[in-house]
Amino acid sequence: MLSTTDQENAGSSTEVEEIGMDREAASSMDLSEILKEGTKESHDRAENTRFVKEFLKGKIRRELFELGTVALYFTYSALEEEMDKNADHPGFAPLYFPLELHRKDALAKDLEYFYGKDWQDQIRCSEATASYVERIHHVGKHEPELLVAHAYTRYMGDLSGGQVLKKVAQRALHLPSTGEGVQFYTFDNISNPARFKELYRSRLNTLETTMEIREKIVEEANRAFRFNMEVFEELDKFGKTLGEVNQESGVPLHDGKGDVRKCPFYAAKGDGEMGCPLHSIMAVVQSCPFQLIVAAVLALSAGWYLL
């Protein structure tokens, strides 16, 4: 695992060029566009880590989900502490939405659900998470304009793919439909996530930044993805000591391939729940006495199942 110093040395002023953009092209783009383009490769790598792919398949143990929640608690505690301290900093102030975005209190509720009233005495910060937390505090103290990168990486993901993970966790872990254990994914003060993300990106684009600062923000966002991947790898290593997951809940919400939001069979139901007719079909197949026969027939038409 890279130390904070090693990771600082890993980046360079040519980061923008290395990820497929030259300075001239980047200078004419909004910061939100630069971040999206500049972190695409890191985003794809994070989505394809074994831990995330298994999670999306519904193969997640309660122990790992709890440890993941612990990691998130320490991460958001550090991030939101530094955001509060720099709430008036011109390089971050437009993106300060504590009422809408802050996750620490929601994570505390989740940890109390999993560990009980004395949850604070039972949790500890893992090695990978500690490195992430250390970097966030360093940025908040010495380069607060780079907090943008960490906030963008975390909160925009929570409002997007995080909502899919919520449904997967509820089904795979048999969590209450009333939201206990997944409060982290519930944004009570954001009625329309899509519109809020548009607002957030527009605020991001109002920041007055030099090209040098923009490059540093992209570099820091990629560093944030690396920290997240290290946490995933740490969880995955621990998960391997627990054995295989027994999926009693049937077919998962997603098969771990591609972007779940691009699946043509996922549609928002009236209550906002993601649903896919394919899963209903497969659930019948799994319970059918002639499972092998039906599965063979389905295999012939597998070409239409593309994410």
Side-chain angles (χ1 to χ4, degrees):
M1 182 176 61
L2 295 175
S3 65
T4 301
T5 302
D6 292 334
Q7 295 212 7
E8 287 172 349
N9 293 335
S12 71
S13 61
T14 60
E15 182 85 15
V16 172
E17 284 135 11
E18 289 174 358
I19 56 179
M21 291 185 293
D22 57 35
R23 275 175 164 265
E24 184 177 353
S27 64
S28 64
M29 297 168 65
D30 288 333
L31 181 54
S32 62
E33 293 178 291
I34 294 175
L35 267 171
K36 181 179 180 181
E37 185 66 26
T39 60
K40 186 179 185 301
E41 185 176 332
S42 292
H43 183 273
D44 291 343
R45 284 200 301 266
E47 279 192 338
N48 283 285
T49 57
R50 185 178 186 277
F51 177 79
V52 174
K53 290 171 74 174
E54 292 297 287
F55 193 149
L56 286 169
K57 293 177 184 177
K59 295 181 179 180
I60 178 71
R61 281 188 174 275
R62 189 182 180 98
E63 298 97 321
L64 285 185
F65 188 77
E66 291 172 357
L67 289 175
T69 303
V70 171
L72 289 171
Y73 176 77
F74 284 112
T75 300
Y76 281 89
S77 294
L79 179 57
E80 289 164 9
E81 177 185 339
E82 296 303 333
M83 287 166 57
D84 289 343
K85 289 179 181 177
N86 291 282
D88 296 323
H89 190 284
F92 183 74
L95 297 177
Y96 186 60
F97 291 94
L99 185 63
E100 293 84 358
L101 292 177
H102 278 198
R103 300 287 83 205
K104 180 182 176 181
D105 290 344
L107 284 161
K109 292 178 183 177
D110 290 337
L111 291 174
E112 182 174 339
Y113 172 77
F114 289 125
Y115 293 97
K117 294 290 185 180
D118 62 340
W119 61 270
Q120 288 178 303
D121 298 325
Q122 298 187 51
I123 66 172
R124 70 174 184 84
C125 188
S126 70
E127 185 179 355
T129 306
S131 295
Y132 195 178
V133 166
E134 179 186 355
R135 179 60 189 177
I136 291 171
H137 284 309
H138 173 85
V139 166
K141 183 177 181 179
H142 301 288
E143 300 177 278
E145 66 276 8
L146 301 186
L147 281 174
V148 169
H150 290 277
Y152 169 87
T153 301
R154 287 299 336 170
Y155 294 118
M156 291 300 95
D158 299 335
L159 289 168
S160 301
Q163 300 308 299
V164 175
L165 296 180
K166 174 183 177 179
K167 295 297 183 183
V168 175
Q170 284 180 313
R171 176 173 293 187
L173 301 177
H174 307 289
L175 297 175
S177 59
T178 46
E180 287 88 342
V182 287
Q183 288 296 310
F184 166 70
Y185 300 106
T186 303
F187 292 80
D188 291 328
N189 295 309
I190 297 180
S191 59
N192 189 318
R195 288 184 180 177
F196 183 85
K197 286 189 292 183
E198 288 179 7
L199 170 64
Y200 196 89
R201 293 189 188 99
S202 68
R203 290 287 189 91
L204 187 62
N205 295 333
T206 67
L207 294 176
E208 295 185 7
T209 56
T210 64
M211 194 61 229
E212 181 182 3
I213 293 299
R214 288 184 169 206
E215 290 177 0
K216 286 185 176 181
I217 289 174
V218 172
E219 180 183 342
E220 191 66 26
N222 281 300
R223 182 180 283 116
F225 273 108
R226 290 198 296 272
F227 277 122
N228 278 284
M229 284 186 278
E230 287 176 1
V231 173
F232 295 154
E233 289 167 5
E234 188 178 62
L235 289 169
D236 188 45
K237 287 179 182 178
F238 177 72
K240 289 178 181 178
T241 69
L242 301 176
E244 291 296 320
V245 178
N246 180 21
Q247 278 185 265
E248 297 178 354
S249 57
V251 180
L253 285 177
H254 185 40
D255 72 351
K257 298 178 181 178
D259 185 346
V260 67
R261 290 164 295 171
K262 296 179 181 178
C263 174
F265 305 102
Y266 275 87
K269 297 179 181 178
D271 59 1
E273 180 181 356
M274 298 296 288
C276 179
L278 176 63
H279 296 145
S280 298
I281 296 172
M282 290 302 295
V284 173
V285 169
Q286 285 194 332
S287 63
C288 179
F290 301 101
Q291 181 179 12
L292 293 177
I293 298 175
V294 179
V297 173
L298 287 176
L300 294 176
S301 57
W304 59 262
Y305 182 47
L306 299 173
L307 292 181

